[in-house]
Amino acid sequence: MLGIIFLYYIWKYYSELAFDNGKNKWVFGLLGIAAYYGGTFLGGVIIGIVALVLKSDFAETTPDILLGLMAMPLGILTVLGLYKYLKYYFSKKTNLNDNDILDAGSINEII
């Protein structure tokens, strides 16, 4: 139940960011959720690789819920990092004036 509430807030913040910038809120909401699951998957892979390198049976003997809780911080960091990047990307607006366009002067001369 707690995970569903957490996913709702990820979707909410990503969709608000998309709506404020004129993008599709469903696509960006699902992108945030996918980023969370991708980050936790990567965290699980890292835990497994560390267990293999150390030749430990930690990954096999630890309960699944504890492994999920250990992988969760990387998922949260992935969501926050992607959110900050998208916020920076959307804030960088490129407004071109007519004088900035290469052919603007020559088109006006022809007309």
Side-chain angles (χ1 to χ4, degrees), residues 47 50-51 55-63 66-67 70:
I47 290 170
V50 168
K55 295 182 181 169
S56 171
D57 62 344
F58 175 76
E60 290 89 18
T61 59
T62 306
L66 184 59
L67 289 173
M70 289 173 61

Side-chain angles (χ1 to χ4, degrees), residues 93-97 100:
K93 301 228 185 239
T94 56
N95 294 329
L96 293 177
N97 297 330
D100 292 339

Side-chain angles (χ1 to χ4, degrees), residues 68-104:
L69 289 174
M70 289 173 61
M72 187 183 290
L74 191 59
I76 293 170
L77 287 175
T78 304
V79 167
L80 289 174
L82 183 62
Y83 182 83
K84 293 288 184 179
Y85 173 74
L86 288 174
K87 193 172 184 180
Y88 168 75
Y89 181 76
F90 289 145
S91 70
K92 203 172 60 169
K93 301 228 185 239
T94 56
N95 294 329
L96 293 177
N97 297 330
D98 286 338
N99 296 332
D100 292 339
I101 300 174
L102 184 61
D103 292 333

